[in-house]
Amino acid sequence: MDYVYGPGRNHLFVPGPVNIPEPVIRAMNRNNEDYRSPAVPALTKTLLEDVKEIFKTTTGTPFLIPTTGTGAWESALTNTLSPGDRIVSFLIGQFSLLWIDQQQRLGFNVDVVESEWGQGANLDILASKLAADTAHTIKAVCVVHNETATGVTNNLAKVRSILDDYRHPALFLVDGVSSICALDFRPKALEATKTAKSVRVFFDWNDYLKFYKLGTFWPYTHPSNCFMDLEQVWISFLRKDLTILAVEAWGLKNCTQKEEWFSDTVTAVLVPPYIDSSEIVRRGWKRYNLSLGLGLNKVAGKVFRIGHLGNLNELQLLGCLAGVEMILKDVGYPVQLGSGVAAACAYLQNNTL
Amino acid sequence: MDYVYGPGRNHLFVPGPVNIPEPVIRAMNRNNEDYRSPAVPALTKTLLEDVKEIFKTTTGTPFLIPTTGTGAWESALTNTLSPGDRIVSFLIGQFSLLWIDQQQRLGFNVDVVESEWGQGANLDILASKLAADTAHTIKAVCVVHNETATGVTNNLAKVRSILDDYRHPALFLVDGVSSICALDFRPKALEATKTAKSVRVFFDWNDYLKFYKLGTFWPYTHPSNCFMDLEQVWISFLRKDLTILAVEAWGLKNCTQKEEWFSDTVTAVLVPPYIDSSEIVRRGWKRYNLSLGLGLNKVAGKVFRIGHLGNLNELQLLGCLAGVEMILKDVGYPVQLGSGVAAACAYLQNNTL
Amino acid sequence: MDYVYGPGRNHLFVPGPVNIPEPVIRAMNRNNEDYRSPAVPALTKTLLEDVKEIFKTTTGTPFLIPTTGTGAWESALTNTLSPGDRIVSFLIGQFSLLWIDQQQRLGFNVDVVESEWGQGANLDILASKLAADTAHTIKAVCVVHNETATGVTNNLAKVRSILDDYRHPALFLVDGVSSICALDFRPKALEATKTAKSVRVFFDWNDYLKFYKLGTFWPYTHPSNCFMDLEQVWISFLRKDLTILAVEAWGLKNCTQKEEWFSDTVTAVLVPPYIDSSEIVRRGWKRYNLSLGLGLNKVAGKVFRIGHLGNLNELQLLGCLAGVEMILKDVGYPVQLGSGVAAACAYLQNNTL
Amino acid sequence: MDYVYGPGRNHLFVPGPVNIPEPVIRAMNRNNEDYRSPAVPALTKTLLEDVKEIFKTTTGTPFLIPTTGTGAWESALTNTLSPGDRIVSFLIGQFSLLWIDQQQRLGFNVDVVESEWGQGANLDILASKLAADTAHTIKAVCVVHNETATGVTNNLAKVRSILDDYRHPALFLVDGVSSICALDFRPKALEATKTAKSVRVFFDWNDYLKFYKLGTFWPYTHPSNCFMDLEQVWISFLRKDLTILAVEAWGLKNCTQKEEWFSDTVTAVLVPPYIDSSEIVRRGWKRYNLSLGLGLNKVAGKVFRIGHLGNLNELQLLGCLAGVEMILKDVGYPVQLGSGVAAACAYLQNNTL
């Protein structure tokens, strides 16, 4: 996949997959391991402890499942719910839409709460639904924490406190794929798995729990090379601020409608109607070896996205911003070259040690 | 996981995971890729063509699913069958046992045909079941091609011809995890997916087919680093022969009861009743940095396994055999040191170019 | 050496060592080789052919010496000259100064022609010296092709034609360490090695020639891992132009005094007297993970250097330029933030395909 | 250089270059470093301390010279001696021969003490020479510690004590390339460098000492990737013993004539006159992907060599021994297959924890 003509490194500024730290790449540079050797449980144990630290829990039970985010969604749903169970789920962008599609196909009764794309989850509606549900027919509330399609971050603490206010026993299921953050709902989730009637085998937590007890940890062969990839991503408030300042300097609007929803990991930028944002992403690939995020579904053609999470630093981001400026000019937007970079530099220069 | 005291390389002789060729390790030594860039569909297309070649099909539709063998089993079952469907499934060792467990938990009506561990699938029983099933209630016949727990390889062509003899429309589902071989049943499987009512989302082939048509190939983010890992493993008839000669020279018996079932990829060795085969594997780890396969389930303590597939050559295998001899002596078996190595060398010396 | 706090990649913008292409890093990711195996001469032969191509010669005899540039200098001098021989050598910056120091310590009679640092070799003086030297006492003319200390590139073709005009038989020895370029002087150099009386063993070309004839190529064990590192560096006229435009936009002067001497690989930037250029380089390291080149010797404190050779692309350079702007402001120079980046972007946007 | 047909790893059993530990390969898997950044002196300092530990000195001054063993020889000689100085040097095999050739070409007056190849340095002659040299005309005594051509290790402590017995001030220069061992002669060597008149620049220790004082450590650009390669090799008495036992079991003789001279790192094996030992090495390459050491110069065709230093373990060595047995049979030597492996296994089985 060294497909790009010309020298130098690819500039990877999508909201994921992210740039991998080099020590992690080096750690993965190895042969397969004998997965039944005594070394594997020893390593797995330290990994599970590390995962608990990332999730800020001391009592939760983490699972390392060799799958993708889509599989992790399925694992959370089928291990805690039974077919026909009522779920409240918020549709605010492409990834929440895909999760809801999965919820429906798995046979749950999904109560979809839609917001305009660019807005966060409508928590007023959640409150009224919970208030009305004295019979506790709602079994789970599902929220995508960080909707990277629109750059919206939902306020999880607020959701939790609404549930608590109504003393509602519904599970609170969070997609943290691009936020790596979670609340302490896990003990309750494990409780729920005992009564969940959804069909599952590959994703069944009970198989994991059985091998946890045996101390060998894995119900099936796992990809040992990837163990080394577990590393907390760096979320830079600074890099978010720099990106937002550049967007303002270019005279463009953020797709995310209120600052309280601004994501730390991705900024979705609205382009004027006479520009096709996909063309911006395509030119990034072709002319500058720069990878930006496409607009997805409802906002396709209308937004492009700058991911600023992962193993990145400020000068890398400034190179990306300079690239975006040239592309904007290419596609006919009257940007003043250097304006976004200058705005970001001015802020950075005053905020670096 | 550089956990072993002492110098040198680990000797990985389990039936999987296998030794990875160094060019493949080097190819994986890279950053993440932008998975929506135009380069990814281009690469994926060549990979899918390569997979077709490995499976010796020109018309089949392969799927690259970011999961493990257990997930691939689930994918094959849920995409082709509906809950309650009758399956004939052969129990001949630990891996066929696990697959049958999955089949039952997914809600199928499994007709289990058990053989003594060390024997292959009982095809006489298959024939009589098919003969009796004039109503075509059997929807699928499930066979683990290479049962690594006992070193048994089943004869797939025979199964196919029995199905054909009875003109029975049942699907023929094969676990090729450790054999990478398959018959041209795929077009029929894709047909079956249209009527299959099993609940699935992550594993749903229809999602893949949708993205195949779009030309982007992936329904969700995939682990691009692992693309480089797709490489045909080398199955050495020669290495199997050398191992079997050594086992004979040691005066030990093969767990696989007939030569027609001998696996090219793994040899399961029976130990005398006064020896615990797990102790052999443990001493391999501790004393010689040698990884052998444990006996599993019914043959736990009774067999140890020597894997001889993957990126290995003859002198590596001879080092392994020398290690096994010392361990056998350690645990009280009266082996003549050098006997197995000598038998293998004599054969090899006459069969190398 | 993962010593830098904070995430992301180091920005390596010194005039050498340069950024290594990733395929080259991957190729070096391997164990030692048996250096007497038949594979090594085969590989070496292709490498020597590649080196000839880089040097644009079909008849020359290249040597791959496991040493540094300093050792290569010594190799060129001791293999072609005898103690006491007269050399004309041009002092125009730190690297020519170091070479002259070596020439003197090796016992040659060095006729030093000094220019102001920032100017190229004074070829008028060369002409008059050659004109006067009818007895042919001058045995060699030594020129550093690309003096990275001041960003000066000398005109080799001009030197060659002056030598030819006077039909002078002196050897023309060129330091091409940072320019990888050379003229077809090699046949003559090999001739000279027959009479050269300088003491040498490790660097003796005759030992190499002996093993070239034997077809094993190496007089001693060589570092096989580094064979993979032989790859033409990319010299980007475009990246030089972008850097020079930024320097102008900042209102700063190039240390190189005339455009004809501008180096393609490095730009040396003069700072105003009230600024210490070393402080700029130090802040690059500390604040931005940016590596710039120091001013050396006579121009220490007065210049900093931006290397733009090696495996780099335009957005990486723009990130570097944005960093330099912030640092310039940090140290009290009244730069307009974004000005250099804007100037470079304007040019780049009009000159990319 | 993945030149070998067939799968698996190369078996590298030459006396050098050795197998590199994988953590070291991983550590070298990186981009170039800015060699003037503050991190480089910090790293270099720890490396120099590590080197002192390897050499078991607290007061010595080590040098890391980017060169090969041949260059290190030249560095030791030219930094401590002047042209015409008298040296006593022992010729016991190919590497001592090459060093003596260098000593003569550098203009020293070499007093060569030759032994039959397969014997160690004749220390009786040394004693008589020192006894006769009351005028102290001998300026240095040069010994190759581990003559890998014949598998001979000289007794350095004995040499030192003879020098002390005669209170002779001659420097004791040791080639430790393949032994990484040395005596505490360094302070004296540094003293000698002040009066040494040999011409040297690239190898001049004074340039190193100047930069040591400055705290930047390097007189010229160094290959930073290779810093990671400094790691003590493992010398296994056990692996030597196993190899010698196998040689005895094959009925062959050790080229090293007395046990007191047996090298820990390499065993040179004599073959009967009717066999060409080079053919053994060639068959290793071609048939078994096995690299053995050739016989050199006087013992060419008469010995082949098994290196057992570096990152190796016992089963790897047993695989090598099995390979040698098959080759011996191939070339017509009446070896009993398995005999060497059995002898080694018997010893190993009783000597492993």
Side-chain angles (χ1 to χ4, degrees):
Chain A
M1 283 226 283
D2 294 311
Y3 49 87
V4 186
Y5 52 83
R9 296 187 62 86
N10 171 252
H11 302 268
L12 186 62
F13 282 89
V14 297
V18 301
N19 292 284
I20 311 175
E22 290 201 62
V24 177
I25 292 178
R26 275 196 285 278
M28 295 192 296
N29 181 33
R30 64 177 64 224
N31 193 17
N32 275 326
E33 296 284 338
D34 171 10
Y35 89 110
R36 289 186 202 268
S37 96
V40 170
L43 174 65
T44 305
K45 212 174 160 211
T46 68
L47 288 178
L48 291 173
E49 287 308 312
D50 290 351
V51 170
K52 283 163 74 173
E53 214 171 294
I54 293 171
F55 279 79
K56 290 175 188 154
T57 178
T58 53
T59 57
T61 303
F63 301 102
L64 299 172
I65 304 172
T67 182
T68 71
T70 305
W73 281 344
E74 190 156 331
S75 152
L77 295 167
T78 59
N79 279 284
T80 58
L81 300 167
S82 300
D85 276 357
R86 184 179 172 205
I87 302 174
V88 175
S89 212
F90 296 90
L91 198 176
I92 63 167
Q94 176 67 3
F95 294 95
S96 41
L97 181 146
L98 287 172
W99 198 16
I100 288 166
D101 172 64
Q102 181 182 69
Q103 291 155 10
Q104 290 168 333
R105 287 161 67 190
L106 288 171
F108 305 114
N109 173 17
V110 191
D111 207 339
V112 178
V113 183
E114 186 162 6
S115 301
E116 194 185 337
W117 287 31
Q119 295 189 352
N122 189 327
L123 300 187
D124 294 338
I125 294 184
L126 175 64
S128 64
K129 279 183 188 288
L130 292 176
D133 183 36
T134 51
H136 294 172
T137 61
I138 298 171
K139 299 302 180 201
V141 174
C142 295
V143 176
V144 170
H145 185 195
N146 191 45
E147 173 56 80
T148 56
T150 57
V152 165
T153 299
N154 285 304
N155 187 334
L156 299 183
K158 191 79 182 295
V159 176
R160 180 73 265 167
S161 85
I162 294 171
L163 278 159
D164 290 346
D165 287 349
Y166 290 97
R167 302 187 182 208
H168 197 289
L171 287 170
F172 178 19
L173 301 181
V174 174
D175 165 347
V177 170
S178 73
S179 65
I180 306 198
C181 171
L183 300 181
D184 55 337
F185 68 98
R186 263 159 312 282
K188 212 194 258 182
L190 270 191
E191 207 55 38
T193 203
K194 291 179 187 161
T195 55
K197 289 188 179 56
S198 291
V199 172
R200 76 265 180 195
V201 178
F202 179 73
F203 292 123
D204 199 334
W205 293 348
N206 288 313
D207 290 346
Y208 273 84
L209 292 171
K210 200 168 79 186
F211 285 86
Y212 281 14
K213 271 194 200 132
L214 288 174
T216 56
F217 290 104
W218 292 95
Y220 32 64
T221 314
H222 52 267
S224 65
N225 281 37
C226 297
F227 283 0
M228 320 305 168
D229 204 355
L230 270 171
E231 184 108 337
Q232 190 164 11
V233 294
W234 297 271
I235 296 168
S236 164
F237 304 104
L238 186 56
R239 288 202 300 274
K240 173 185 69 170
D241 292 344
L242 298 179
T243 308
I244 288 169
L245 286 166
V247 171
E248 286 172 8
W250 298 333
L252 291 174
K253 286 226 159 358
N254 201 317
C255 169
T256 316
Q257 295 187 7
K258 283 190 198 167
E259 202 174 325
E260 60 176 283
W261 293 322
F262 281 5
S263 167
D264 293 331
T265 70
V266 58
T267 299
V269 185
L270 280 169
V271 296
Y274 59 88
I275 288 172
D276 175 4
S277 68
S278 308
E279 183 58 21
I280 290 172
V281 177
R282 266 195 294 275
R283 280 179 181 250
W285 288 325
K286 269 187 67 174
R287 291 190 58 161
Y288 302 111
N289 203 354
L290 169 63
S291 286
L292 300 166
L294 284 163
L296 300 171
N297 204 321
K298 276 202 187 173
V299 291
K302 297 179 185 163
V303 314
F304 68 92
R305 295 175 297 148
I306 301 172
H308 29 71
L309 79 166
N311 184 40
L312 274 178
N313 57 34
E314 285 69 32
L315 295 202
Q316 287 177 275
L317 178 61
L318 292 172
C320 162
L321 297 177
V324 171
E325 295 188 0
M326 289 185 286
I327 300 168
L328 285 171
K329 192 142 197 189
D330 277 352
V331 298
Y333 180 74
V335 71
Q336 191 196 330
L337 288 176
S339 60
V341 173
C345 283
Y347 185 83
L348 179 56
Q349 200 234 337
N350 286 318
N351 287 277
T352 319
L353 296 182
Chain B
M1 283 225 284
D2 294 311
Y3 48 88
V4 186
Y5 52 84
R9 297 187 61 86
N10 172 251
H11 301 269
L12 186 63
F13 282 89
V14 298
V18 301
N19 293 284
I20 312 174
E22 289 200 63
V24 177
I25 291 178
R26 277 197 283 279
M28 293 192 297
N29 180 34
R30 63 177 63 225
N31 194 17
N32 276 324
E33 295 284 336
D34 172 11
Y35 89 109
R36 290 185 200 271
S37 95
V40 171
L43 174 65
T44 305
K45 214 175 158 210
T46 68
L47 288 178
L48 291 173
E49 288 308 311
D50 290 351
V51 170
K52 283 163 74 173
E53 214 171 294
I54 292 172
F55 280 79
K56 291 175 186 151
T57 178
T58 53
T59 56
T61 305
F63 300 102
L64 300 172
I65 304 173
T67 183
T68 71
T70 305
W73 280 344
E74 189 155 333
S75 151
L77 295 168
T78 59
N79 279 284
T80 57
L81 300 167
S82 300
D85 276 358
R86 182 178 171 205
I87 301 175
V88 175
S89 213
F90 296 89
L91 198 176
I92 61 166
Q94 176 66 4
F95 293 95
S96 42
L97 182 147
L98 288 172
W99 197 17
I100 288 166
D101 173 64
Q102 182 183 69
Q103 289 156 11
Q104 291 168 332
R105 287 160 70 189
L106 288 171
F108 305 115
N109 172 18
V110 190
D111 206 339
V112 178
V113 182
E114 187 161 7
S115 302
E116 195 183 337
W117 287 31
Q119 295 189 350
N122 190 326
L123 301 188
D124 292 340
I125 295 185
L126 175 64
S128 63
K129 279 184 190 285
L130 292 177
D133 183 37
T134 50
H136 293 172
T137 60
I138 298 169
K139 299 301 179 200
V141 173
C142 294
V143 176
V144 170
H145 185 193
N146 191 44
E147 173 56 82
T148 57
T150 57
V152 165
T153 299
N154 285 304
N155 187 335
L156 299 183
K158 192 79 181 295
V159 176
R160 180 73 264 166
S161 85
I162 293 173
L163 280 160
D164 291 348
D165 286 351
Y166 291 96
R167 301 187 182 206
H168 198 289
L171 287 171
F172 179 19
L173 301 182
V174 173
D175 165 347
V177 169
S178 73
S179 66
I180 308 197
C181 171
L183 300 181
D184 55 337
F185 67 97
R186 266 159 309 284
K188 212 195 258 183
L190 271 190
E191 207 56 38
T193 204
K194 291 180 185 159
T195 55
K197 290 191 178 54
S198 291
V199 172
R200 76 263 180 195
V201 178
F202 179 73
F203 291 123
D204 199 335
W205 294 348
N206 290 311
D207 290 347
Y208 273 84
L209 292 171
K210 200 168 81 188
F211 285 86
Y212 280 15
K213 270 191 200 134
L214 288 174
T216 57
F217 291 103
W218 292 95
Y220 33 63
T221 314
H222 52 267
S224 65
N225 282 37
C226 299
F227 283 0
M228 320 304 168
D229 204 356
L230 270 170
E231 184 109 336
Q232 190 163 8
V233 294
W234 296 270
I235 296 168
S236 163
F237 304 103
L238 187 56
R239 289 201 300 274
K240 173 185 69 168
D241 292 343
L242 299 180
T243 307
I244 286 169
L245 286 166
V247 171
E248 287 173 5
W250 299 332
L252 292 174
K253 286 226 159 358
N254 201 316
C255 170
T256 316
Q257 296 185 7
K258 284 191 197 164
E259 202 174 326
E260 61 177 282
W261 292 322
F262 282 4
S263 169
D264 292 331
T265 71
V266 58
T267 300
V269 185
L270 278 169
V271 296
Y274 59 89
I275 288 172
D276 176 5
S277 68
S278 307
E279 183 58 21
I280 290 172
V281 178
R282 266 194 294 274
R283 281 180 181 250
W285 287 327
K286 268 189 68 175
R287 290 189 61 160
Y288 302 110
N289 202 356
L290 169 63
S291 287
L292 300 165
L294 284 163
L296 300 171
N297 205 322
K298 277 204 186 171
V299 290
K302 297 180 187 161
V303 315
F304 69 92
R305 296 175 296 147
I306 301 172
H308 30 73
L309 79 167
N311 185 40
L312 274 177
N313 57 35
E314 286 69 32
L315 295 201
Q316 286 177 278
L317 179 60
L318 292 172
C320 162
L321 296 177
V324 171
E325 295 189 0
M326 289 185 286
I327 300 167
L328 286 171
K329 192 143 197 189
D330 276 353
V331 298
Y333 179 75
V335 73
Q336 190 196 331
L337 289 176
S339 60
V341 171
C345 282
Y347 185 84
L348 179 55
Q349 201 234 336
N350 286 317
N351 289 277
T352 319
L353 296 181
Chain C
M1 286 226 283
D2 294 312
Y3 50 87
V4 186
Y5 51 83
R9 295 187 62 86
N10 170 251
H11 302 268
L12 185 62
F13 282 90
V14 297
V18 301
N19 292 283
I20 311 176
E22 290 202 61
V24 177
I25 292 178
R26 276 197 284 278
M28 295 192 296
N29 181 34
R30 65 176 63 225
N31 194 16
N32 275 327
E33 295 285 336
D34 171 11
Y35 89 111
R36 289 186 202 269
S37 96
V40 170
L43 174 65
T44 305
K45 214 175 158 210
T46 67
L47 288 179
L48 290 174
E49 288 307 312
D50 290 351
V51 170
K52 283 163 75 174
E53 215 171 294
I54 293 171
F55 280 78
K56 290 173 189 153
T57 178
T58 54
T59 56
T61 304
F63 301 102
L64 300 172
I65 303 173
T67 183
T68 70
T70 305
W73 281 344
E74 189 156 331
S75 151
L77 295 168
T78 58
N79 278 284
T80 56
L81 300 168
S82 301
D85 276 357
R86 183 178 172 205
I87 302 175
V88 175
S89 213
F90 295 89
L91 198 176
I92 62 167
Q94 176 66 5
F95 293 95
S96 41
L97 181 146
L98 287 172
W99 198 15
I100 287 167
D101 173 63
Q102 182 182 68
Q103 291 155 11
Q104 291 169 333
R105 287 162 67 189
L106 288 172
F108 304 113
N109 172 19
V110 190
D111 204 340
V112 178
V113 182
E114 187 161 8
S115 301
E116 195 183 335
W117 288 31
Q119 296 190 350
N122 189 327
L123 301 187
D124 293 340
I125 293 184
L126 175 64
S128 64
K129 277 183 191 286
L130 292 177
D133 184 37
T134 50
H136 294 170
T137 62
I138 298 171
K139 299 302 180 200
V141 173
C142 296
V143 176
V144 171
H145 185 196
N146 191 44
E147 173 55 80
T148 57
T150 57
V152 164
T153 299
N154 285 303
N155 186 336
L156 298 183
K158 192 75 180 297
V159 175
R160 181 73 263 165
S161 84
I162 293 172
L163 279 159
D164 291 347
D165 288 350
Y166 291 97
R167 303 189 180 202
H168 198 289
L171 288 170
F172 178 19
L173 300 182
V174 173
D175 165 347
V177 170
S178 73
S179 66
I180 307 195
C181 171
L183 301 182
D184 55 336
F185 68 98
R186 266 161 306 287
K188 213 195 258 182
L190 270 191
E191 206 55 39
T193 204
K194 290 180 186 161
T195 54
K197 292 190 176 55
S198 291
V199 172
R200 77 260 180 200
V201 178
F202 179 72
F203 291 123
D204 198 335
W205 292 348
N206 288 313
D207 290 346
Y208 272 84
L209 292 172
K210 199 168 82 187
F211 286 87
Y212 280 16
K213 272 194 202 131
L214 288 174
T216 57
F217 290 105
W218 292 96
Y220 31 65
T221 316
H222 52 267
S224 66
N225 281 39
C226 297
F227 283 178
M228 321 301 169
D229 203 355
L230 270 170
E231 184 111 337
Q232 190 165 9
V233 295
W234 297 271
I235 297 168
S236 164
F237 304 103
L238 186 56
R239 290 203 300 273
K240 172 184 69 169
D241 291 345
L242 298 179
T243 308
I244 287 169
L245 286 165
V247 171
E248 286 174 6
W250 298 333
L252 291 175
K253 287 228 161 353
N254 201 315
C255 169
T256 315
Q257 296 186 8
K258 284 192 197 164
E259 203 173 324
E260 60 177 283
W261 293 321
F262 282 6
S263 168
D264 292 331
T265 70
V266 57
T267 299
V269 185
L270 279 169
V271 296
Y274 60 88
I275 289 173
D276 175 5
S277 68
S278 308
E279 183 59 21
I280 290 173
V281 178
R282 267 195 293 274
R283 280 179 183 251
W285 288 327
K286 270 187 67 175
R287 290 188 63 158
Y288 301 111
N289 202 354
L290 170 62
S291 287
L292 300 166
L294 283 163
L296 299 172
N297 204 323
K298 276 204 187 171
V299 291
K302 295 180 188 164
V303 315
F304 67 91
R305 294 174 298 147
I306 301 172
H308 29 72
L309 78 168
N311 184 39
L312 274 178
N313 57 34
E314 285 69 34
L315 294 201
Q316 287 177 274
L317 179 62
L318 292 172
C320 162
L321 296 177
V324 170
E325 296 188 359
M326 289 185 287
I327 299 167
L328 285 171
K329 193 145 197 186
D330 277 353
V331 298
Y333 179 76
V335 73
Q336 191 195 330
L337 289 176
S339 60
V341 172
C345 282
Y347 185 84
L348 178 57
Q349 201 233 337
N350 285 317
N351 287 277
T352 319
L353 298 180
Chain D
M1 286 226 283
D2 294 312
Y3 49 89
V4 186
Y5 51 82
R9 298 186 62 85
N10 172 252
H11 302 269
L12 186 63
F13 282 89
V14 296
V18 300
N19 291 284
I20 312 175
E22 289 201 62
V24 178
I25 292 179
R26 277 197 284 279
M28 295 192 296
N29 181 32
R30 63 177 63 223
N31 195 14
N32 276 324
E33 295 284 336
D34 172 10
Y35 88 110
R36 290 185 200 269
S37 96
V40 171
L43 173 65
T44 305
K45 213 174 158 210
T46 68
L47 288 179
L48 290 174
E49 288 306 313
D50 290 352
V51 170
K52 282 164 74 175
E53 215 171 293
I54 293 171
F55 279 79
K56 291 177 186 151
T57 178
T58 53
T59 57
T61 304
F63 300 102
L64 301 171
I65 304 174
T67 183
T68 71
T70 305
W73 280 344
E74 188 157 333
S75 152
L77 295 169
T78 57
N79 278 285
T80 58
L81 299 168
S82 300
D85 277 357
R86 183 178 171 207
I87 302 175
V88 176
S89 212
F90 295 90
L91 199 174
I92 61 166
Q94 176 67 4
F95 293 96
S96 41
L97 182 146
L98 287 172
W99 198 14
I100 287 166
D101 173 63
Q102 183 183 67
Q103 290 156 11
Q104 291 169 332
R105 287 161 68 189
L106 288 171
F108 304 115
N109 173 17
V110 190
D111 205 340
V112 178
V113 183
E114 187 162 6
S115 302
E116 195 183 337
W117 288 32
Q119 296 190 351
N122 189 327
L123 301 187
D124 294 339
I125 294 184
L126 175 66
S128 63
K129 279 182 190 287
L130 292 176
D133 185 35
T134 50
H136 293 171
T137 59
I138 299 170
K139 298 303 180 200
V141 173
C142 294
V143 176
V144 170
H145 186 195
N146 191 44
E147 172 56 79
T148 57
T150 57
V152 165
T153 300
N154 285 304
N155 187 334
L156 299 183
K158 191 76 181 296
V159 176
R160 180 72 264 165
S161 85
I162 293 172
L163 279 160
D164 290 348
D165 287 350
Y166 290 96
R167 302 188 181 205
H168 198 288
L171 288 170
F172 179 19
L173 301 182
V174 174
D175 165 345
V177 169
S178 74
S179 67
I180 306 197
C181 170
L183 300 181
D184 53 336
F185 68 97
R186 265 160 310 282
K188 212 195 258 181
L190 270 191
E191 205 56 39
T193 204
K194 290 178 188 162
T195 54
K197 290 189 178 58
S198 291
V199 172
R200 75 262 181 197
V201 178
F202 179 72
F203 290 124
D204 198 336
W205 292 349
N206 289 312
D207 291 346
Y208 273 85
L209 293 171
K210 200 168 83 186
F211 285 87
Y212 280 16
K213 271 194 200 131
L214 289 173
T216 55
F217 290 103
W218 292 95
Y220 32 64
T221 314
H222 52 267
S224 65
N225 280 39
C226 298
F227 284 180
M228 320 303 170
D229 203 355
L230 270 170
E231 183 109 340
Q232 190 164 10
V233 293
W234 297 272
I235 297 169
S236 164
F237 304 104
L238 187 56
R239 290 203 299 274
K240 173 186 69 169
D241 292 343
L242 299 179
T243 307
I244 287 169
L245 286 166
V247 171
E248 287 173 6
W250 298 332
L252 291 175
K253 287 227 158 359
N254 201 316
C255 169
T256 316
Q257 297 186 6
K258 284 192 198 162
E259 203 174 326
E260 61 176 283
W261 292 321
F262 281 5
S263 168
D264 292 332
T265 69
V266 59
T267 298
V269 185
L270 279 170
V271 296
Y274 60 88
I275 290 173
D276 175 5
S277 68
S278 308
E279 183 58 22
I280 291 174
V281 178
R282 266 193 294 274
R283 280 178 184 252
W285 288 326
K286 268 187 70 174
R287 292 187 62 158
Y288 301 111
N289 202 353
L290 168 63
S291 286
L292 300 166
L294 284 163
L296 300 172
N297 203 321
K298 276 202 189 172
V299 291
K302 297 180 186 163
V303 315
F304 68 91
R305 295 174 297 147
I306 301 172
H308 29 72
L309 80 167
N311 184 40
L312 275 178
N313 57 34
E314 285 68 32
L315 294 201
Q316 287 178 274
L317 178 61
L318 292 172
C320 163
L321 296 178
V324 171
E325 295 188 0
M326 289 185 286
I327 299 167
L328 285 172
K329 192 143 197 187
D330 277 352
V331 298
Y333 179 75
V335 72
Q336 193 195 330
L337 289 176
S339 59
V341 172
C345 282
Y347 185 84
L348 179 56
Q349 200 233 339
N350 285 318
N351 287 278
T352 319
L353 298 179

